Amino acid sequence: MKFSISSRSGLPKSPAQPPARGFIGAKAAAVLLATMLLAASGATAANASEESPAAQNDHAMGSTIRGHESAGQLFSIQATESAFAMPGVPGMDVSSHQGVVDWAKAAANGAKFAYVKASEGTEYSNPYFADQYAGAASAGMLRGAYHFALPNASSGAAQASYFLQSGAAWTPDGKTLPALLDLEYNPYGSTCYGMTPGEMVSWVSDFATTILSRTGRLPAIYTTTDWWNTCTGKANGFGNHPLHIARWESTPGALPAGWNAHTLWQYADSGVFPGDQNVFNGTVGQLTAFASNPGPIFSDISGGQFTAEVNWLGSRGISTGWTEANGARNYRPLAPVARDAMAAFMYRLAGSPAFTAPAKSPFTDVATTNPFYKQITWLASKGISTGWIEANGTKTYRPFEPVARDAMAAFMYRLAGSPEFNAPAESPFTDVATTNPFYKQITWLASSGISSGWTEADGTKTYRPFEPVARDAMAAFMNRFDTKFGDQ
């Protein structure tokens, strides 16, 4: 038992060499050229439905900013002079507009990291992505991938899944930066894509939850303070996401609601590096740590008894928690674990194995539409939980009941494959008799170091078998179980 857990483009190929970029930037030049051509032809700007696929596809990170926010020309000019003019670690971001990048030259000029555009919406993938992504790594840079969001085009989950098709999922290899969600002004219409702040917050959360569940790390968020505060209604619950602030001025300025500090800063759209100019807010050592460490995942977990174990659970995608109205992701550590959630936890701990749920539910109280139907029936198919046989002969699972600590021991024992174990003749716990129906499983759990129970004031040990399992304690149990049995 092992415990772990098509590109489409209507754009023509970009030139083999990156286009020349003055201090106003290639993006601004493209907008200016398009405006001049429209004016000369007497045409009016097209709306989203009227634009050609080529016009609708590839938008680079920050490509909409100049049309909505003023930029400091001083720092656009200075950016062309030296990568070391800004405090922090210098880096860059590129898209198909840069084509074939001279990564060795960029590294020689001081770039330590790069973000590469992977996708936009669910219709466009950067045709240069694979080469650019690999090229940055071959030059010794840390690299990550970004997705240009079109929130009104499809769900956050759909766009996250499309983005992950690029093969750029974060892994804790010390070389890969977290996924980056590019949230900026709508290239085709209303600033906020015709969405209310609540709808936008839900969309961002949907994208983030999918990335977290698939990669074990929250995505970073690229945005401007004006766009974020306007389009999310100053949502302040995303502070656990690394912030990549965009501001082409001498300082990052006031940050969006919810953040006290930025992680990355895009300070110019042209300079010594191809593409946009960025800086990491820290040292090279901190940048390396940032690449390796998934960081805090839940807003309500900070320094408690099981903080490390809860963060581990989140980084494994075993639990993505709850998203509140302001976007905050909470774990609710002291809430009891319900039996349906327990099934989901165990299924994911086992690596989310392939399993086809039965067409008809084996439990009268678990509909096939239950969000955890697959996990519950998988648990039953493995004999980890058989549920209850009621007086009328039907079977129930009681999905919303809390999991008691004695039942949890049985679940863990069976998940481990019901290993050979001789229970001690004398109970190590004063509140667990040798006649307890789960005595063997409870003492196995203790002997495996998964739960040691409590030492009471008089020095005796108790297990408290009938107490519900809290969600933070469950994270600890699963972490210890994985350490002990994860390679089986």
Side-chain angles (χ1 to χ4, degrees):
M1 182 165 49
K2 174 69 178 175
F3 298 95
S4 63
I5 343 189
S6 67
S7 298
R8 296 175 59 187
S9 172
L11 282 174
K13 295 275 187 180
S14 296
Q17 296 298 323
R21 301 179 67 165
F23 77 85
I24 63 171
K27 303 169 199 168
V31 172
L32 177 61
L33 177 60
T35 303
M36 292 171 63
L37 290 173
L38 284 170
S41 65
T44 57
N47 61 36
S49 62
E50 293 168 343
E51 290 181 353
S52 67
Q56 290 184 356
N57 274 335
D58 190 11
H59 295 90
M61 188 156 60
S63 57
T64 68
I65 292 177
R66 284 193 182 275
H68 295 82
E69 300 184 28
S70 61
Q73 292 186 2
L74 172 64
F75 274 78
S76 290
I77 294 172
Q78 285 184 344
T80 67
E81 298 175 355
S82 172
F84 301 97
M86 309 302 292
V89 182
M92 55 195 278
D93 64 80
V94 298
S95 66
S96 71
H97 297 284
Q98 281 66 55
V100 177
V101 175
D102 188 341
W103 291 104
K105 181 178 179 181
N109 285 339
K112 301 298 184 185
F113 68 91
Y115 266 104
V116 180
K117 179 174 181 178
S119 53
E120 180 171 332
T122 56
E123 297 294 326
Y124 173 79
S125 293
N126 175 11
Y128 288 92
F129 174 75
D131 288 340
Q132 291 175 338
Y133 195 67
S138 67
M141 297 184 199
L142 301 182
R143 79 281 194 262
Y146 79 87
H147 175 80
F148 190 100
L150 298 178
N152 63 340
S154 53
S155 71
Q159 294 195 31
S161 295
Y162 185 77
F163 164 76
L164 290 173
Q165 291 177 14
S166 68
W170 176 81
T171 57
D173 59 4
K175 302 176 183 178
T176 307
L177 299 172
L180 178 62
L181 176 60
D182 181 355
L183 290 163
E184 56 186 274
Y185 303 94
N186 183 0
Y188 309 124
S190 63
T191 293
C192 301
Y193 299 84
M195 299 169 71
T196 66
E199 289 170 339
M200 188 64 72
V201 168
S202 294
W203 191 95
V204 177
S205 296
D206 193 30
F207 184 97
T209 298
T210 304
I211 295 294
L212 173 61
S213 65
R214 300 270 293 277
T215 72
R217 184 165 190 177
L218 292 172
I221 292 177
Y222 168 94
T223 193
T224 72
T225 298
D226 175 71
W227 186 92
W228 182 267
N229 288 347
T230 299
C231 296
T232 71
K234 297 185 178 181
N236 62 1
F238 290 88
N240 284 348
H241 295 253
L243 173 64
H244 191 155
I245 187 68
R247 187 172 190 257
W248 302 338
E249 297 281 357
S250 59
T251 68
L255 300 181
W259 282 282
N260 296 319
H262 68 282
T263 301
L264 298 153
W265 170 26
Q266 185 191 81
Y267 62 89
D269 68 341
S270 63
V272 67
F273 307 132
D276 301 311
Q277 314 298 292
N278 298 285
V279 64
F280 171 78
N281 186 18
T283 65
V284 171
Q286 289 170 328
L287 175 63
T288 302
F290 172 65
S292 304
N293 186 353
I297 293 173
F298 303 104
S299 299
D300 57 351
I301 299 295
S302 58
Q305 180 182 7
F306 298 123
T307 293
E309 290 87 348
V310 172
N311 280 331
W312 170 85
L313 199 77
S315 70
R316 286 285 299 269
I318 295 172
S319 175
T320 56
W322 286 268
T323 302
E324 310 299 342
N326 68 346
R329 185 176 302 277
N330 289 336
Y331 183 72
R332 304 179 187 175
L334 303 181
V337 178
R339 286 174 53 83
D340 57 354
M342 182 71 178
F345 284 176
M346 291 201 149
Y347 176 74
R348 295 167 190 158
L349 181 64
S352 299
F355 175 70
T356 301
K360 182 179 179 181
S361 176
F363 302 110
T364 58
D365 57 351
V366 180
T368 57
T369 54
N370 185 297
F372 296 125
Y373 177 70
K374 178 178 180 178
Q375 294 89 335
I376 291 171
T377 52
W378 171 83
L379 203 73
S381 75
K382 296 297 182 183
I384 297 172
S385 177
T386 55
W388 285 267
I389 298 177
E390 305 297 342
N392 61 1
T394 61
K395 290 187 71 175
T396 58
Y397 182 76
R398 305 179 189 176
F400 307 119
E401 286 190 7
V403 178
R405 286 173 52 86
D406 57 355
M408 183 274 299
F411 287 170
M412 290 283 188
Y413 177 73
R414 295 165 192 159
L415 183 64
S418 300
E420 290 290 333
F421 176 72
N422 293 319
E426 182 179 353
S427 177
F429 302 110
T430 58
D431 58 351
V432 179
T434 57
T435 55
N436 184 299
F438 295 123
Y439 178 69
K440 178 178 181 178
Q441 293 89 336
I442 291 171
T443 52
W444 169 84
L445 200 74
S447 71
S448 300
I450 296 172
S451 177
S452 56
W454 285 265
T455 300
E456 305 297 343
D458 61 359
T460 60
K461 295 190 72 174
T462 58
Y463 181 75
R464 306 179 189 177
F466 307 118
E467 286 190 7
V469 180
R471 286 172 55 85
D472 58 354
M474 178 55 67
F477 292 156
M478 290 197 159
N479 179 256
R480 296 166 193 161
F481 180 95
D482 186 72
T483 299
K484 183 84 174 179
F485 301 102
D487 292 327
Q488 293 187 8

